[in-house]
Amino acid sequence: MGEVAAEIADWTPGDIAVLTKPTHMAIAITTSFIADKSTGEVVAMAHEANPRDDWLPITESRDGSTVSAVFHLLCSGLGIQALMLPVAFASLGWVWGIITLSIGFLWQLYNIWALVELHESVSGTRYSRFLHLSIAAFGHRLGKLLALFPVMYLSGGTCVMLIINGGRAMEDLFKTMCSGDGAACGIKPLDGVEWFLLFTCIAIVIAQLPNLNAIAIVSLFGAIAAVGYGALIWILSVAKGRPEGVSYEPLIEAKSEEARIGSVLNAIGIIALSFRGHNLVLEIQGTLPSTPKCSSKESMWRAVIIAYSLIALCLYSLAVGGFWAYGSKIPNGGLYVAFHQFHGHDTPKLVMGLTYLLIVASCLSAFQIYAMPVFDTLELRYTVIKDCRCRCSWRARTSLRVFFGCLAFFLAVALPFLGSLAPLIGGMTSTLTFVLPCFMWLMIKRPHRKSGKWWLNVGLGWLGVVLWVMMVTAAIWVLVDRGINANFFDP
């Protein structure tokens, strides 16, 4: 027993292992029970085979509930990218736009279900990080190769994009309420870098909350803000009526067959990128308690049903309402640009200001949940380097989070055009949403070959690979066709 304990203490998060077939007794180290079986059944370890899980930010607290999981899912699953859906409908038209959005929604919802089931796919083992589940499914090298870049980009890269979007929304809020030059408020306006810095400072202050479960109240405000600004924009757009000359014919501006194909592929990519947060599903479920009699997958799936019912309502409202209001006249910037362009002059200042304020609040809240996997990794690496098997001091934790905030701020200032590259990089990371969950199900659950579940996951997995190729191709086509303004260090 002492040798087993010493071996477990030396394991790293990547060394996900299962104890198999002991002679007389199998011991499962879990949060709530010890199993004693004389039949030699396979019993796995809990805590992801990592003794540091008791104090790392993602798994430090497992006192979450279905309600807190709903808040996290809404905050991470709804974002400003949903305002681009009418642009996709402008290329696809009503019928194909709704069909594509519906298929994409059901597809990604199935993959979320697969991740929820795989979280505790082996008795006693909890995979509370997407990377660890990938390693368990594909092996250490291939698992890291397939998941490390997408997970890190969707965590750190999304935080950079939130600084860019949140900082610009702050600037728009100031211009709306203070007449652009600040004369109405008696304040000198800030430049782009200063708005980014202000947003980052606020985000870092909020980020001092210790763990993922502790930011549930922040996610609640973020969810309310995301639903609020989306509803405000599409309701006001519909209420104010359509501009003259609106057409609903798809691909009306396409000049050639190549342009039509490129527009369709780009539209499919926009719809696919409107679904986000899959890299956080396992982490959110990791905050929920689990016992042998009541697995965390039950409460997590209830949270998914509630949250994604609201997300579906928001996505369809923005897509249908936005396309009805602007049709073929929708600009490439989506509803965010269209509403200001067509109705900014006849909308009360307080309403416009409230919209921008809600966007800022949503970005600040989403920053916290997307940054948590980065905080978790930083603390893990810090303690490994220090050869310390206890929790970070509050000074070390604060310093690591300030460091990440400064790094994200630097990248936002250096690459303010990152939003133009989002379709390309987002397409490259879409494997987390549409590909890897299916193949992980096959590798871990191992359904009977050519059974219904086998065909379903094989089919969806390879279809996801095709979608991945299409999204990357479409993103490259758009960049070549429209170009990119690479304004380095000029936000």
Side-chain angles (χ1 to χ4, degrees):
M1 288 297 294
E3 294 176 357
V4 173
E7 183 180 353
I8 292 175
D10 291 332
W11 281 337
T12 64
D15 298 323
I16 306 298
V18 177
L19 303 179
T20 58
K21 296 185 178 180
T23 304
H24 297 291
M25 178 183 295
I27 299 177
I29 304 174
T30 71
T31 55
S32 56
F33 70 102
I34 295 179
D36 184 355
K37 295 182 181 291
S38 58
T39 60
E41 294 182 74
V42 175
V43 183
M45 305 168 302
H47 285 302
E48 295 82 11
N50 179 15
R52 295 181 172 89
D53 281 332
D54 286 333
W55 48 262
L56 285 173
I58 288 176
T59 50
E60 183 178 39
S61 172
R62 297 193 189 270
D63 297 327
S65 64
T66 298
V67 175
S68 65
V70 169
F71 298 159
H72 290 316
L73 290 168
L74 281 172
C75 185
S76 61
L78 272 177
I80 203 168
Q81 80 287 343
L83 301 181
M84 293 291 293
L85 285 173
V87 179
F89 273 50
S91 293
L92 298 173
W94 283 114
V95 175
W96 284 109
I98 292 175
I99 290 175
T100 305
L101 180 60
S102 300
I103 292 174
F105 182 82
L106 293 175
W107 186 356
Q108 58 95 34
L109 188 62
Y110 169 77
N111 284 342
I112 290 176
W113 173 82
L115 290 174
V116 171
E117 290 291 316
L118 291 174
H119 179 89
E120 293 186 76
S121 51
V122 180
S123 177
T125 302
R126 299 190 66 176
Y127 299 109
S128 296
R129 295 163 183 85
F130 195 100
L131 179 60
H132 292 178
L133 182 61
S134 179
I135 291 173
F138 305 116
H140 187 76
R141 291 185 178 180
L142 183 59
K144 288 184 68 175
L145 179 65
L146 292 174
L148 187 59
F149 169 72
V151 168
M152 287 299 100
Y153 168 75
L154 288 175
S155 296
T158 300
C159 289
V160 175
M161 281 302 306
L162 290 169
I163 292 175
I164 295 173
N165 292 331
R168 288 174 177 168
M170 280 183 165
E171 185 175 9
D172 290 337
L173 173 62
F174 177 84
K175 290 180 178 178
T176 299
M177 303 306 296
C178 298
S179 303
D181 59 357
C185 302
I187 302 174
K188 180 181 178 181
L190 304 178
D191 60 25
V193 175
E194 291 169 331
W195 285 117
F196 286 7
L197 179 60
L198 177 60
F199 179 93
T200 305
C201 289
I202 299 174
I204 291 176
V205 170
I206 301 174
Q208 300 312 310
L209 291 170
N211 54 61
L212 184 56
N213 191 46
I215 65 171
I217 188 65
V218 178
S219 293
L220 168 61
F221 286 115
I224 293 173
V227 173
Y229 75 72
L232 267 178
I233 290 177
W234 79 261
I235 290 174
L236 290 174
S237 296
V238 171
K240 290 182 177 295
R242 296 170 291 180
E244 293 183 6
V246 169
S247 170
Y248 300 111
E249 291 295 325
L251 311 174
I252 193 170
E253 295 183 355
K255 307 295 186 194
S256 64
E257 192 64 28
E258 292 78 10
R260 289 175 181 271
I261 295 174
S263 296
V264 169
L265 294 179
N266 185 53
I268 293 174
I270 290 173
I271 291 175
L273 291 176
S274 67
F275 309 120
R276 70 176 197 174
H278 291 70
N279 61 308
L280 295 169
V281 171
L282 294 170
E283 285 79 355
I284 293 170
Q285 190 172 349
T287 66
L288 303 179
S290 182
T291 65
K293 294 183 179 180
C294 184
S295 170
S296 64
K297 67 178 68 175
E298 299 174 7
S299 54
M300 184 63 182
W301 184 241
R302 285 196 299 270
V304 169
I305 293 299
I306 297 170
Y308 276 83
S309 297
L310 292 173
I311 289 174
L313 180 62
C314 292
L315 294 181
Y316 279 93
S317 299
L318 287 167
V320 174
F323 186 50
W324 181 90
Y326 303 109
S328 60
K329 289 186 174 292
I330 187 79
N332 291 329
L335 288 176
Y336 186 92
V337 176
F339 182 70
H340 183 271
Q341 178 180 322
F342 290 102
H343 303 299
H345 63 282
D346 59 354
T347 301
K349 181 187 296 186
L350 288 178
V351 175
M352 291 293 295
L354 177 60
T355 302
Y356 293 132
L357 181 62
L358 290 173
I359 292 175
V360 172
S362 174
C363 290
L364 284 170
S365 302
F367 184 96
Q368 311 307 317
I369 191 169
Y370 275 94
M372 199 57 69
V374 181
F375 297 157
D376 188 86
T377 301
L378 287 175
E379 290 194 25
L380 173 63
R381 297 307 172 198
Y382 174 81
T383 53
V384 169
I385 292 172
K386 291 289 187 179
D387 194 24
C388 174
R389 300 188 183 278
C390 58
R391 69 180 65 245
C392 286
S393 65
W394 70 268
R395 291 185 181 87
R397 174 170 281 186
T398 300
S399 299
L400 290 171
R401 298 185 180 192
V402 171
F403 166 76
F404 171 72
C406 293
L407 178 60
F409 166 73
F410 172 78
L411 292 175
V413 173
L415 307 171
F417 57 90
L418 192 61
S420 303
L421 299 176
L424 175 60
I425 305 178
M428 294 171 63
T429 60
S430 63
T431 53
L432 293 186
T433 305
F434 297 104
V435 179
L436 292 183
C438 297
F439 289 127
M440 289 192 295
W441 178 277
L442 292 171
M443 297 301 294
I444 293 177
K445 290 291 189 177
R446 298 190 179 278
H448 291 296
R449 190 174 180 82
K450 297 185 178 181
S451 64
K453 288 185 178 181
W454 187 87
W455 280 115
L456 176 63
N457 286 280
V458 168
L460 289 179
W462 283 110
L463 189 60
V465 174
V466 174
L467 177 64
W468 171 73
V469 173
M470 291 171 54
M471 291 175 65
V472 173
T473 302
I476 294 174
W477 178 85
V478 170
L479 289 176
V480 172
D481 183 61
R482 300 175 184 173
I484 181 173
N485 178 26
N487 51 325
F488 294 97
F489 295 97
D490 187 21

